[in-house]
Amino acid sequence: MAEETKAPEVVVPEAETPLTAEKEVATTPEKEVEKPEVEAADAEKIAEEVSFKEETNVVSELPESQRKALDELKKLIQEACAKREFSSSPPPPPSPKKEEKVVEEKKTEEEEQTPLEKKEEEVAPPPVDTADVAETATSAVSVEETPKVEEATPVTEEAPKVEEPVPVTEEVKKEEEEEKTVEAIKETIIETTSETPADEQPPQPPPKEVVVEEEAVEPEEVTIWGIPLLADERSDVILLKFLRARDFKVKEAFTMIRNAVRWRKEFGVNELLEEDLGNDYAKVLFTHGHDKEGRVVCYNVFGEFQNKELYHNTFSDAEKRNRFLKWLIQFLEKIIRDLDFSPKGVNSIVLVNDLKNSPGYGKRDVSKIIDRFLVILQDNYPEFVAKQLCINTSWWYVAYYWIYLTVFTPRSKSKFVFASPSKTPETLFKYIAPEHVPVQYGGHSKIGENEFTSADAVTEVIVKPGTKHPIEFAFSEATELVWELRVIGWDVNYGAEFLPAKEGGYTLNISKPKKVVPTEDPVISDTFKVTEAGKVVITIDNQSSKKKKLLYRSKVKASSAE
């Protein structure tokens, strides 16, 4: 890890090659030992490595492999929509399973009936004996008829009377019974032949196919954050987020999308947007200004839970914890739906985690909700956080996170930045202009005050050790000057005066030089009505041994002064 003693923050490094979880855990102890030593020895020394940078969302600018992956993902989504696979509770395919069960039942019935049929065949006269039975029957008839014919030779007219004697009638009955037996045997033979292999059976016409007309099913129309998955270039931006979260592994990205859509339906995210969950957490999580790339900045201030009443109303039971979780998701959803999903638009946010006085993982109830929210965020909101700035951190917290971040991918790790309390303003200013940073974090943005707005840019100046830096404003007519300034860390002298252009004029002290200590790190605001030509001079005298960063802005208003 490259270390720069003057770098403003800790950026969690991105691994050069993908590491398995096992390897990452194995390397953690070394980092864990090294980092606390650095922080404990000198809080001003903060290591920095290459941080995350968002890629383009313009499809034509993507590498060929990524464009191909995007096309493949679209095809999978189109097929899934046709099969309605995005339903939150997809119905199991009952018909194929039922058909398989029926076939299996038939097979088992046939297997069970086969032995019985074999027994019946064994009990019934075998097919081979039919000829013998027939021969026996005919021979018996012929043998018994022979003497009758001999006796009837002299008298030809008495031949028909041979059928009348009783013995002859019994034989006829026997013949009839034998004929019935033969017919039964033939029927048995027909049944057994039907069970013979197909190649031994005579060719039969193929059975008519039964065509089952399936009802036409309309494809699903799947939307997420109010945008269809398959529509236009905005859809491509969303699909690219899922692909990047899975390193452009198409099947894994598709599974992630499908699970996210199902989770949204099961959790009732769309309905959640309409719920009134109150405004109890307005100071815990809020948006304020934009970063230098135009992204919304969201501040997460868990130190507000030092308020016992708020803590009790949030974490005292499962119902309240779930309500807070729903509030967090609702808050996030509203921010995302206001994003611009065009390829060149702003479609991510910056998250600032203020860890000052945070209950953190010492409170089990808090950690449960944080863990659940992080899992939901990671599984269902990919690539929406472009940067996570963890401010007001201590060295032990950074050491803890070095272990905690082993579960994240190198891509996710590269989004984290850590800053100690003394480095918090400077770290924020690297990503967020001072006019967008709240006053409590060293910036110039004040809620509810309209003297300056975020459109009024702040000028940054470095004041070297042992030097004075004057800020001059010249005027040729009556007017009113308004300004505000602050020095990061202060510990400097501040003063302001008016010097008239007229010879022999007297210098007027607007603010006598005074020492400003770094205890409260305030923003100094002041005004002065100019009544004649001259100039206003503001002086910052840095008598310390460290360089200081001066931030100021001004505005000229029309004055009614004569």
Side-chain angles (χ1 to χ4, degrees):
M1 176 170 55
E3 182 174 341
E4 298 180 6
T5 58
K6 299 179 181 180
E9 73 281 345
V10 174
V11 178
V12 180
E14 180 176 3
E16 294 179 1
T17 56
L19 299 176
T20 61
E22 212 170 25
K23 289 181 180 178
E24 289 180 350
V25 172
T27 57
T28 300
E30 296 179 2
K31 295 177 180 178
E32 180 184 354
V33 173
E34 293 175 5
K35 193 63 199 170
E37 288 179 358
V38 174
E39 292 287 344
D42 187 357
E44 300 298 325
K45 294 183 179 180
I46 310 219
E48 180 180 8
E49 291 195 9
V50 178
S51 61
F52 170 78
K53 186 177 181 180
E54 283 189 303
E55 302 90 342
T56 180
N57 285 315
V58 180
V59 176
S60 61
E61 297 176 0
L62 295 173
E64 184 179 354
S65 60
Q66 295 183 5
R67 291 199 302 270
K68 184 178 178 181
L70 179 60
D71 291 337
E72 290 177 3
L73 181 58
K74 287 181 180 179
K75 290 180 181 178
L76 288 179
I77 293 174
Q78 190 172 11
E79 293 173 0
C81 288
K83 298 177 182 178
R84 305 187 71 83
E85 292 183 6
F86 284 97
S87 300
S88 57
S89 54
S95 50
K97 290 185 178 179
K98 286 182 179 178
E99 288 177 3
E100 289 175 3
K101 289 181 179 179
V102 171
V103 173
E104 289 177 1
E105 287 175 1
K106 286 183 178 179
K107 287 182 179 179
T108 52
E109 286 176 4
E110 290 176 359
E111 291 174 357
E112 291 174 357
Q113 291 174 359
T114 302
L116 297 174
E117 290 175 357
K118 289 181 179 179
K119 288 181 181 179
E120 289 176 1
E121 290 175 6
E122 291 175 1
V123 174
V128 187
D129 298 336
T130 55
D132 296 337
V133 173
E135 288 178 7
T136 306
T138 52
S139 63
V141 172
S142 61
V143 169
E144 291 178 358
E145 286 178 353
T146 303
K148 295 175 185 177
V149 173
E150 289 176 356
E151 291 175 0
T153 302
V155 186
T156 56
E157 295 178 359
E158 295 178 0
K161 296 179 181 180
V162 176
E163 296 177 358
E164 294 178 3
V166 176
V168 175
T169 306
E170 291 177 358
E171 290 174 0
V172 171
K173 289 181 179 180
K174 288 181 179 180
E175 287 178 5
E176 291 176 357
E177 291 176 358
E178 287 172 357
E179 286 177 3
K180 290 179 181 179
T181 305
V182 172
E183 288 178 1
I185 292 169
K186 287 180 180 179
E187 289 177 1
T188 306
I189 292 169
I190 292 170
E191 290 176 1
T192 54
T193 54
S194 64
E195 296 179 1
T196 57
D199 54 354
E200 295 180 9
Q201 293 183 7
Q204 297 179 358
K208 293 183 179 180
E209 295 183 359
V210 179
V211 180
V212 180
E213 294 184 0
E214 296 183 358
E215 295 182 1
V217 179
E218 294 185 1
E220 282 183 298
E221 292 185 3
V222 182
T223 61
I224 187 167
W225 301 297
I227 299 173
L229 281 182
L230 296 174
D232 48 31
E233 56 187 11
R234 297 177 305 159
S235 305
D236 293 343
V237 173
I238 291 177
L239 298 185
L240 284 170
K241 287 182 178 295
F242 285 92
L243 282 168
R244 287 178 175 129
R246 291 297 178 264
D247 295 327
F248 283 88
K249 296 175 182 177
V250 179
K251 290 184 178 179
E252 293 183 14
F254 169 74
T255 301
M256 186 181 186
I257 293 175
R258 185 179 59 189
N259 292 341
V261 171
R262 290 177 180 175
W263 170 81
R264 293 176 67 83
K265 290 181 179 179
E266 292 170 359
F267 199 86
V269 174
N270 291 336
E271 295 76 12
L272 181 62
L273 287 170
E274 305 300 325
E275 286 191 41
D276 183 8
L277 299 175
N279 202 30
D280 297 339
Y281 311 110
K283 293 183 178 180
V284 176
L285 198 61
F286 59 90
T287 58
H288 191 106
H290 300 79
D291 75 340
K292 293 180 179 179
E293 303 297 327
R295 292 179 287 237
V296 173
V297 181
C298 176
Y299 289 84
N300 181 7
V301 189
F302 277 98
E304 290 293 327
F305 287 119
Q306 293 293 335
N307 183 324
K308 294 182 180 180
E309 183 179 355
L310 181 62
Y311 183 90
H312 177 79
N313 293 336
T314 306
F315 302 108
S316 59
D317 56 51
E319 183 179 352
K320 292 175 181 178
R321 290 193 293 269
N322 288 332
R323 180 174 173 271
F324 179 53
L325 180 64
K326 290 172 66 177
W327 189 91
L328 290 173
I329 295 172
Q330 183 191 68
F331 178 85
L332 181 62
E333 278 287 323
K334 289 179 178 179
I335 294 176
I336 290 177
R337 286 178 181 260
D338 287 337
L339 297 177
D340 179 7
F341 282 96
S342 62
K344 293 186 177 181
V346 177
N347 48 70
S348 59
I349 65 174
V350 172
L351 183 60
V352 178
N353 300 306
D354 182 8
L355 302 178
K356 184 178 181 180
N357 298 325
S358 174
Y361 278 73
K363 300 282 188 179
R364 185 60 182 163
D365 294 332
V366 178
S367 64
K368 283 182 180 179
I369 294 300
I370 294 175
D371 288 342
R372 283 182 63 188
F373 182 66
L374 287 177
V375 169
I376 290 173
L377 191 69
Q378 187 172 351
D379 293 345
N380 303 286
Y381 297 90
E383 300 298 315
F384 277 104
V385 179
K387 187 69 65 177
Q388 289 213 48
L389 308 178
C390 300
I391 60 175
N392 291 320
T393 59
S394 57
W395 66 265
W396 62 265
Y397 203 95
V398 175
Y400 168 78
Y401 260 86
W402 275 94
I403 301 172
Y404 179 73
L405 290 177
T406 57
V407 301
F408 286 84
T409 63
R411 181 183 179 85
S412 297
K413 290 180 185 178
S414 65
K415 298 179 182 182
F416 281 84
V417 175
F418 294 93
S420 62
S422 62
K423 288 292 183 180
T424 287
E426 189 175 352
T427 301
L428 291 177
F429 296 157
K430 181 176 181 181
Y431 303 98
I432 310 167
E435 57 267 25
H436 285 278
V437 176
V439 173
Q440 62 266 35
Y441 296 120
H444 285 249
S445 182
K446 301 174 184 179
I447 299 175
E449 295 187 16
N450 300 319
E451 193 67 69
F452 289 96
T453 67
S454 58
D456 299 316
V458 172
T459 302
E460 299 182 34
V461 178
I462 298 297
V463 183
K464 296 180 180 180
T467 62
K468 294 181 180 181
H469 182 81
I471 305 171
E472 297 184 359
F473 301 96
F475 304 96
S476 58
E477 57 184 5
T479 187
E480 183 177 1
L481 176 67
V482 181
W483 72 89
E484 64 178 18
L485 61 82
R486 79 184 306 159
V487 176
I488 304 302
W490 283 106
D491 194 23
V492 296
N493 291 325
Y494 160 78
E497 58 186 1
F498 175 74
L499 304 177
K502 183 179 180 180
E503 291 185 8
Y506 292 97
T507 300
L508 179 64
N509 283 326
I510 301 172
S511 178
K512 293 182 180 180
K514 62 179 179 179
K515 181 83 170 182
V516 183
V517 295
T519 52
E520 297 182 358
D521 199 19
V523 172
I524 294 178
S525 300
D526 214 337
T527 62
F528 179 72
K529 290 184 178 181
V530 179
T531 57
E532 59 179 313
K535 61 181 179 180
V536 174
V537 180
I538 302 170
T539 305
I540 301 297
D541 183 6
N542 181 16
Q543 298 178 358
S544 70
S545 59
K546 295 180 180 180
K547 67 179 182 180
K548 298 291 182 178
K549 178 174 283 191
L550 166 66
L551 303 105
Y552 69 92
R553 59 181 174 179
S554 62
K555 179 183 293 186
V556 176
K557 300 194 301 183
S559 175
S560 59
E562 297 180 358

